[in-house]
Every structure is written in structure tokens, then in C-alpha cells.
Amino acid sequence: MQNTVYGAAVENEYLDFDSTTTLNTYSDQLVTFNDYEGDPATQFRYRINGVIDTNQGILQNVDAIMTACDSWMQYNATLGKWGVVVNKGEAASYSFNDSNLIGAISIGSIDIAQMPNQIEAKFPDATNRDQSNYVLASVPTFLLYPNEPVNKLTTNYDLVNDSVQALYLANRLMEQSREDLL
């Protein structure tokens, strides 16, 4: 964000460094998974490993970086700064009631044909000289809705070179896209 040649040339005073510290702390937490032999193993939640294409626009490159750590960049008008929003669970921090609601609340359901139940994620595999590899995340059959059609989403994690992280991100994307109320 600060780089004047390849970045957005944003001055320090307009960047929220606390939000990047939050992301770094969250990224350094260990996640548990089963290795190829079925034994429990751990690794850091997120690592960004890849090459930034400087021919792409700054927003495309920032989006690629944020996608690799399941976060997004946003401008906080209250602070007047650009910062990272980490996509993670949080404890409730605000309580809504009749005195602080301004508009109507509407609840709508999502069409099951629009919810992916499979995600194929392409990533450069570090164990194979960064050749393209794929992971497939899918909803277990017993969790599918009755008569739910196969709805496969294909995505790329250009800055993720680890199959565990690619599968972790694909599962998070699929689970969050299957929320049935909006």
C-alpha cells in the first residue's frame, strides 16, 4: 500500500497498522489437520507465498493478497484510514434494540441453486516446483438439501502454495457461502 512504484502510494497516516497486526497475529495461529497418513499435524493458518504481477492493477494485487488470507481491505471513514478486515469470528460487541435501529430489518432466504456445494481451488504447489495443483472441497452428502443440484465453484489462490491452506480457504469459502439466511 505504501510503495510509490508498484503500490498505491498511500502515506502512513492513512494506513491502519493495528489492523495488519491483528491479521499477522491471526495468521500465526496454528490450525490442526490430518496429514496424508491420517496423523494430526499443525501449521500456521495463513502464509502468502507467490509472485505479485506488477502488470496488474494495485486493487487486483491487493485482492489477491487478501484472498490468500481470507480477509479484505477497506477504507474506514471514521478513522480516515485504509485497513484490513480479518474474516474471523468475534464476540458480540454491540447490542441492537428499538432505540438504535434506524431502518427496517429484512430477512431473506438464499436459493440453493446459488450456493456452491463443491469448490475446486487451483494453487501453485510448492512441493512440485509451483506447478498448478487443485484441491476439492465438497459438502458431505448427508448435509445437502433434498434435490440440491451439484453447484461447483472454481477459484484460484495464486499466492497460496500449500495444499492445506488452499483446502482450508476453500472450505471456509464454501461454508460461508452456504449460509441460508440473509
Side-chain angles (χ1 to χ4, degrees):
M1 292 297 288
Q2 297 167 301
N3 190 293
T4 57
V5 178
Y6 300 113
V10 177
E11 296 176 16
N12 285 349
E13 64 187 275
Y14 301 112
L15 295 172
D16 180 6
F17 290 102
D18 291 340
S19 67
T20 59
T21 300
T22 300
L23 174 58
N24 287 338
T25 301
Y26 189 63
S27 297
D28 285 342
Q29 293 175 353
L30 296 176
V31 293
T32 303
F33 64 97
N34 292 331
D35 66 13
Y36 65 93
E37 294 178 341
D39 297 324
T42 60
Q43 76 176 36
F44 294 116
R45 183 181 313 275
Y46 302 128
R47 287 295 180 258
I48 297 171
N49 294 301
V51 178
I52 297 290
D53 183 355
T54 57
N55 292 319
Q56 298 293 320
I58 180 64
L59 292 179
Q60 290 172 298
N61 284 332
V62 168
D63 185 50
I65 293 168
M66 294 292 100
T67 299
C69 56
D70 196 20
S71 300
W72 61 90
M73 181 73 68
Q74 90 173 15
Y75 184 75
N76 184 328
T78 305
L79 297 175
K81 296 182 179 188
W82 286 96
V84 175
V85 177
V86 181
N87 188 12
K88 64 177 187 157
E90 295 286 348
S93 62
Y94 194 78
S95 181
F96 292 99
N97 59 46
D98 289 339
S99 68
N100 57 23
L101 288 176
I102 297 173
I105 297 175
S106 62
I107 298 174
S109 62
I110 303 294
D111 181 6
I112 64 170
Q114 295 178 345
M115 295 187 297
N117 47 30
Q118 294 180 353
I119 295 184
E120 180 183 75
K122 179 181 173 184
F123 67 100
D125 192 346
T127 63
N128 191 17
R129 299 185 312 162
D130 287 335
Q131 297 299 308
S132 294
N133 200 349
Y134 297 85
V135 293
L136 179 66
S138 59
V139 175
T141 306
F142 68 92
L143 290 177
L144 293 173
Y145 294 107
N147 301 318
E148 181 176 347
V150 172
N151 189 6
K152 185 176 180 181
L153 174 70
T154 302
T155 189
N156 292 322
Y157 294 122
D158 296 329
L159 300 179
V160 174
N161 68 355
D162 175 74
S163 63
V164 173
Q165 183 177 342
L167 186 58
Y168 178 82
L169 288 166
N171 273 311
R172 286 181 54 84
L173 177 62
M174 184 173 50
E175 288 172 10
Q176 290 177 352
S177 67
R178 291 185 60 80
E179 292 293 329
D180 61 349
L181 291 178
L182 183 65

